[in-house]
Amino acid sequence: QSALTQPPSASGSPGQSVTISCTGTSSDVGGYNYVSWYQQHPGKAPKLMISEVSKRPSGVPDRFSGSKSGNTASLTVSGLQAEDEADYYCSSYTGSNNPYVVFGGGTKLTVL
Amino acid sequence: EVQLVESGGGLVQPGGSLRLSCAASGFTFSSYWMSWVRQAPGKGLEWVANIKQDGGEKYYVDSVKGRFTISRDNAKNSLYLQMNSLRAEDTAVYYCARTLMATIHYWGQGTLVTVSS
């Protein structure tokens, strides 16, 4: 099972929108609606931002949204703010117990 | 408030062993699958292992199978990872994680394991 594919970097100016893609296969992203997105600031633990493709946990701003089309999931951050600058990782259930979950390589989001 | 606090990391020589612990609080520990996820320095996240609520099912990524053992003590609200035959490539921050439907809703702060001579 290979890692999911994310662009290494993305950027946008404050107030703009940016979309980060996460490409897998029909065995993971395309096969199940268990795609999650995590935000990680330097030196900190990851934080869940989106679960089950598009569900936003309590406390996560509605500027963050998720979607999926075929084997590619996407995270959109609207109205970019300085505090959104972080690494973002996607993950997907694989339908297997080895590995149970596969992660993307991460995308460094820079707020210009 | 959900809290997951890892401990037990440190510097160990190749071939050595280490036992990580995770103390859970703020939720009914025995009701959740739990996982260990690691992150090598400057790298991405990697799922390592997970364990069912009663400890009856355990799963591992291929790279640690036969060397690592995940376990839990529901009476002590604790999760463990016994790591044997450690290799340089096991060097990483290890996170304890509460898992539901292939989603990690809560993460610990992580504990650093460094395998080096």
Side-chain angles (χ1 to χ4, degrees):
Chain A
Q1 193 85 30
S2 301
L4 306 177
T5 301
Q6 297 182 236
S9 63
S11 63
S13 299
Q16 289 186 331
S17 293
V18 64
T19 296
I20 300 171
S21 63
C22 170
T23 301
T25 69
S26 58
S27 296
D28 38 62
V29 174
Y32 307 94
N33 287 325
Y34 291 117
V35 175
S36 302
W37 289 91
Y38 303 93
Q39 177 192 65
Q40 186 178 36
H41 288 108
K44 300 295 187 181
K47 174 188 174 183
L48 177 66
M49 303 302 284
I50 297 288
S51 67
E52 296 179 60
V53 176
S54 60
K55 294 183 179 179
R56 211 171 31 250
S58 174
V60 173
D62 59 8
R63 302 184 293 102
F64 291 84
S65 62
S67 62
K68 189 183 85 167
S69 177
N71 297 337
T72 299
S74 299
L75 173 72
T76 298
V77 186
S78 306
L80 270 175
Q81 298 184 5
E83 59 262 35
D84 299 333
E85 185 163 298
D87 293 325
Y88 290 84
Y89 294 91
C90 63
S91 75
S92 176
Y93 176 56
T94 66
S96 161
N97 288 314
N98 180 20
Y100 173 67
V101 164
V102 63
F103 288 94
T107 298
K108 169 65 177 176
L109 174 61
T110 300
V111 180
L112 301 170
Chain B
E1 179 193 6
V2 173
Q3 286 200 318
L4 299 168
V5 180
E6 302 94 335
S7 60
L11 175 63
V12 61
Q13 292 188 337
S17 298
L18 214 52
R19 188 195 195 207
L20 305 184
S21 299
C22 170
S25 61
F27 65 102
T28 305
F29 181 72
S30 59
S31 295
Y32 291 88
W33 281 78
M34 296 294 295
S35 302
W36 288 99
V37 176
R38 68 183 178 184
Q39 186 172 35
K43 302 296 184 181
L45 300 167
E46 180 184 38
W47 170 81
V48 174
N50 62 351
I51 184 169
K52 194 177 179 180
Q53 290 92 329
D54 63 359
E57 293 181 40
K58 306 175 185 181
Y59 303 103
Y60 304 89
V61 68
D62 274 346
S63 58
V64 308
K65 205 172 289 185
R67 300 188 298 122
F68 289 12
T69 302
I70 188 172
S71 63
R72 64 192 295 162
D73 185 337
N74 288 342
K76 295 183 177 180
N77 291 337
S78 293
L79 178 71
Y80 307 101
L81 187 67
Q82 177 67 43
M83 304 186 295
N84 299 331
S85 303
L86 282 161
R87 307 166 179 167
E89 55 264 36
D90 296 319
T91 294
V93 174
Y94 285 74
Y95 293 101
C96 168
R98 193 183 94 174
T99 313
L100 179 64
M101 304 305 290
T103 303
I104 298 173
H105 290 261
Y106 294 96
W107 301 70
Q109 86 288 351
T111 187
L112 176 63
V113 172
T114 303
V115 184
S116 174
S117 55

